[in-house]
Amino acid sequence: MIKRFTLVTALFLMVFIASAQQGSPSPYSFFGIGLSKPTGTTESRSMGGLSVYSDSIHLNLQNPAGYAGLKLTTYTIGGSHKAIDLESYAGKEKATNSNLMDYLAVGFPAGKFGFGFGIAPATSVGYELKELNGDLLSKYSGSGGLNKVFLSAGYQFNEYLRIGATANYKFGNIQNKSLFFQDQIQFGTREINRSHFSGFDFKFGAQYQRMISDKLQIIGSADFSPSAKISSKNERQIATVILRNGQEELISDLRRLELPDSKLTLPTHFTLGGGLGKPNKWFAGLEFGSTSSSNFSNRSFDVSGVKYKSASTMALGGFYVPKYNDITNYFNRIVYRAGFRYEETGLNINNKDINEFGISFGVGLPAGRMLSNLNVGFEYGQRGTTSAGLVKETFYNVFISLSLNDLWFQKTKFN
């Protein structure tokens, strides 16, 4: 097992490159099982990540009760691009990352029921770090993450109340690699640790909608994810290597070590939200979420100065439509969205909490028949701090999605 190393000299004196599709261009993905991926659609992320609002033509991937409100079969697919500026006392770096598919899902109504299924990434890991300590050069890199396949069902309990549940099957792998080279010595040491994850977790949700006047509607929502355990199959390789041209690793001796399988505990999470609006015109909502403390650790490195606390999120956002049924003016049918979010991630490094905020904007553009639309969003935000030898990230997210609607199970009449 690799000896522990200090965060200040190793983690944030870095050489940073962007990761591939599954990765995350953030040094904070070094910790635990990586950074959590946003669970909402482009429509939700454009409103600060709100999950409280659902309608009849868009999927709500965050609260399964929303499927009961669907009136049309809905297909949705979303992707994103992120650019990050990283700043520390050691200097500045830039990174980018594109995800061709943040999520792919289908939902359809069936009387009082609504059902949905899809696939989406759950966490991502993607870092490359370097430390030069005297004549010892150390390199650390990681890749991978967890994905989830989900099946959801919602039920219209009565005129005002919907309930729902989601089953997630999470799977994926994470690899951590380290290289150690000493000046004037030809051979170095390489260690690779891989963990392969699989298992189920569940989410339960409820939504309440009621008109309180001729024009005003009040909306409330809640969801709860109990703690769950997923399996982790672990493996390790130790090798003696030579670097050719500074990059290619030539192996002269390779040993595979047996490691016991383990269980990873996913923490409990709940969300409460509420809002007020006029149907098909405007909505404004507020939401709070909390995640119990976890004890994730990096499987390769014993890192000092790191603690995991309970995490929390706060989101504020909404939308406005000038006139949703205007057939003469296209711009009156555009949905304008905006939001703000603040997150205490629960990660504490060198007695500094790693917090995050984001400000988002977006539009929903009518496209084609049956109320289909193209959704585009932008988010500006920051994560971390430059104090205590850490890194501050300034990120710019662009996300885009298609929400396509159709009518299933329609009876055809013949004369």
Side-chain angles (χ1 to χ4, degrees):
M1 191 70 172
I2 297 175
K3 301 297 183 182
R4 70 183 177 185
F5 62 101
T6 61
L7 287 167
V8 173
T9 58
L11 180 56
F12 299 113
L13 284 175
M14 61 190 178
V15 174
F16 191 89
I17 62 172
S19 304
Q21 166 76 9
Q22 178 62 18
S24 168
S26 170
Y28 291 109
S29 70
F30 169 88
F31 298 96
I33 56 175
L35 293 177
S36 296
K37 299 288 286 186
T39 58
T41 61
T42 294
E43 301 92 287
S44 168
R45 295 181 67 183
S46 298
M47 297 187 292
L50 281 182
S51 66
V52 61
Y53 183 80
S54 293
D55 62 26
S56 61
I57 60 171
H58 294 92
L59 294 186
N60 186 336
L61 302 182
Q62 298 157 281
N63 191 322
Y67 287 93
L70 289 177
K71 300 303 181 185
L72 297 171
T73 299
T74 302
Y75 317 81
T76 185
I77 182 171
S80 64
H81 176 77
K82 172 180 281 190
I84 300 183
D85 295 329
L86 302 108
E87 180 183 358
S88 73
Y89 73 90
K92 296 181 178 181
E93 295 284 348
K94 293 181 180 292
T96 60
N97 173 249
S98 295
N99 288 304
L100 298 179
M101 190 187 75
D102 281 332
Y103 55 85
L104 173 64
V106 178
F108 57 92
K112 287 190 173 184
F113 289 92
F115 299 94
F117 57 91
I119 185 170
T123 71
S124 60
V125 175
Y127 62 88
E128 187 166 332
L129 317 168
K130 182 171 72 174
E131 174 193 18
L132 183 60
N133 187 2
D135 60 354
L136 179 64
L137 174 64
S138 305
K139 295 182 177 181
Y140 308 92
S141 61
S143 61
L146 272 65
N147 301 292
K148 64 180 180 181
V149 175
F150 59 89
L151 176 63
S152 301
Y155 176 68
Q156 189 76 44
F157 188 78
N158 58 36
E159 182 182 357
Y160 310 114
L161 179 64
R162 303 170 188 151
I163 57 175
T166 292
N168 297 303
Y169 176 70
K170 291 184 175 176
F171 64 96
N173 64 83
I174 295 174
Q175 174 178 292
N176 300 109
K177 182 172 74 172
S178 61
L179 288 165
F180 297 95
F181 292 93
Q182 194 162 354
D183 195 25
Q184 306 301 321
I185 298 179
Q186 182 181 14
F187 294 96
T189 302
R190 186 189 73 182
E191 179 176 326
I192 296 177
N193 289 273
R194 292 190 183 95
S195 295
H196 303 270
F197 300 97
S198 62
F200 288 91
D201 69 341
F202 301 90
K203 175 182 279 191
F204 306 94
Q207 291 182 332
Y208 182 86
Q209 297 184 357
R210 185 167 187 166
M211 298 298 298
I212 57 175
S213 72
D214 291 340
K215 295 183 179 181
L216 287 182
Q217 182 183 54
I218 188 171
I219 299 176
S221 73
D223 65 68
F224 174 71
S225 300
S227 177
K229 292 183 181 293
I230 61 175
S231 299
S232 175
K233 297 182 179 296
N234 308 308
E235 58 184 72
R236 178 176 297 157
Q237 296 179 4
I238 302 290
T240 301
V241 298
I242 301 174
L243 278 188
R244 184 169 67 180
N245 299 324
Q247 295 292 332
E248 185 179 0
E249 299 169 15
L250 302 179
I251 301 173
S252 62
D253 181 33
L254 176 65
R255 299 180 182 181
R256 301 180 186 275
L257 305 180
E258 293 186 3
L259 293 178
D261 295 340
S262 58
K263 294 286 187 179
L264 177 71
T265 301
L266 302 179
T268 300
H269 174 83
F270 76 87
T271 305
L272 293 173
L276 189 68
K278 180 180 179 181
N280 301 318
K281 185 67 175 181
W282 63 270
F283 173 79
L286 177 66
E287 195 167 87
F288 173 80
S290 178
T291 303
S292 63
S293 60
S294 61
N295 192 26
F296 296 145
S297 62
N298 190 300
R299 291 154 306 286
S300 299
F301 317 117
D302 181 14
V303 184
S304 60
V306 177
K307 295 181 289 186
Y308 296 93
K309 301 179 178 181
S310 295
S312 64
T313 58
M314 188 275 290
L316 173 68
F319 69 83
Y320 173 74
V321 187
K323 189 176 182 181
Y324 80 98
N325 58 354
D326 192 335
I327 61 174
T328 61
N329 189 331
Y330 177 85
F331 293 98
N332 280 343
R333 291 185 284 124
I334 294 177
V335 183
Y336 300 90
R337 304 181 177 103
F340 170 83
R341 64 180 179 88
Y342 179 80
E343 178 180 359
E344 296 178 347
T345 66
L347 179 63
N348 180 281
I349 307 174
N350 295 343
N351 294 317
K352 292 291 184 180
D353 292 331
I354 305 303
N355 299 324
E356 179 178 337
F357 79 88
I359 302 170
S360 56
F361 308 91
V363 292
L365 305 173
R369 57 186 294 272
M370 296 294 290
L371 303 177
S372 297
N373 50 86
L374 170 68
N375 301 285
V376 181
F378 172 81
E379 181 183 41
Y380 164 83
Q382 292 184 352
R383 178 193 295 122
T385 174
T386 56
S387 63
L390 303 181
V391 166
K392 182 174 76 173
E393 300 178 6
T394 301
F395 54 83
Y396 309 86
N397 290 323
V398 178
F399 22 89
I400 185 170
S401 72
L402 281 172
S403 181
L404 307 175
N405 302 113
D406 201 355
L407 187 61
W408 286 10
F409 312 119
Q410 184 178 20
K411 292 183 180 180
T412 303
K413 295 182 180 182
F414 296 92
N415 293 326

